[in-house]
């Protein structure tokens, strides 16, 4: 029974680690976008065919709006990252506890024989 629990804990731990990596990647990407200057953003937008008909003032306004949105996303992602980190820590503790219990049961079984 505990063997199954440990396997379940390990599977969940792997899933949480994958989520943690994905969040880390998203945080890095959003942080990079947040550091982008207006001129860099205009250049990137125009190379993809966007913002071609906009004045620099209009571009600046859109850029400011994007930065506010990115900052909000970044804060949410960092909150999720902290929650995920806590969940991973709890899973590691649960796995260690299950392994100790399993080892104690095995030792107890050997003494009975």
């Amino acid at each position: 029974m505990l063997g199954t629990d440990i396997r379940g804990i390990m599977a969940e731990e792997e899933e949480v680690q994958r989520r943690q990596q994905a969040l880390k990647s998203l945080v890095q990407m959003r942080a990079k976008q947040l550091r982008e200057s207006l001129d860099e953003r205009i250049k990137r937008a125009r190379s993809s065919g966007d913002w071609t008909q906009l004045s620099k003032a209009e571009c600046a306004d859109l850029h400011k709006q994007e930065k506010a949105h990115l900052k909000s996303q970044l804060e949410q992602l960092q909150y999720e990252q902290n929650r995920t980190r806590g969940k991973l820590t709890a899973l590691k503790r649960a796995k260690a506890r299950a392994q100790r219990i399993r080892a104690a049961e095995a030792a107890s079984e050997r003494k009975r024989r």
Side-chain angles (χ1 to χ4, degrees):
M1 168 107 175
L2 278 176
T4 304
D5 291 342
I6 290 173
R7 280 192 283 279
I9 290 169
M10 289 173 68
E12 190 173 355
E13 182 181 16
E14 288 175 15
E15 180 62 33
V16 170
Q17 285 175 335
R18 280 192 293 276
R19 178 172 172 74
Q20 189 175 34
Q21 284 295 67
L23 285 168
K24 181 179 177 182
S25 177
L26 284 171
V27 165
Q28 288 173 340
M29 185 174 67
R30 294 296 186 268
K32 180 181 177 186
Q33 289 173 332
L34 204 51
R35 291 188 306 268
E36 186 176 49
S37 72
L38 174 60
D39 289 335
E40 290 169 335
R41 178 62 180 108
I42 290 171
K43 184 178 178 181
R44 187 167 56 86
R46 290 191 174 155
S47 71
S48 67
D50 296 332
W51 295 10
T52 53
Q53 303 297 319
L54 302 178
S55 70
K56 187 153 184 163
E58 291 169 318
C59 291
D61 188 46
L62 285 174
H63 184 62
K64 185 178 177 181
Q65 290 174 25
E66 282 182 354
K67 280 198 171 221
H69 182 70
L70 284 169
K71 187 174 182 181
S72 171
Q73 282 185 330
L74 186 59
E75 288 169 358
Q76 181 63 35
L77 286 169
Q78 288 171 330
Y79 171 79
E80 286 294 324
Q81 201 173 28
N82 289 336
R83 249 185 70 221
T84 302
R85 189 177 303 120
K87 186 171 184 176
L88 186 58
T89 299
L91 283 168
K92 286 180 179 181
R93 286 182 184 143
K95 183 173 79 173
R97 186 174 54 250
Q99 288 172 333
R100 284 192 306 273
I101 291 169
R102 192 170 168 200
E105 286 177 349
S108 175
E109 185 66 30
R110 282 193 301 271
K111 284 182 183 179
R112 281 189 238 161
R113 291 182 187 179

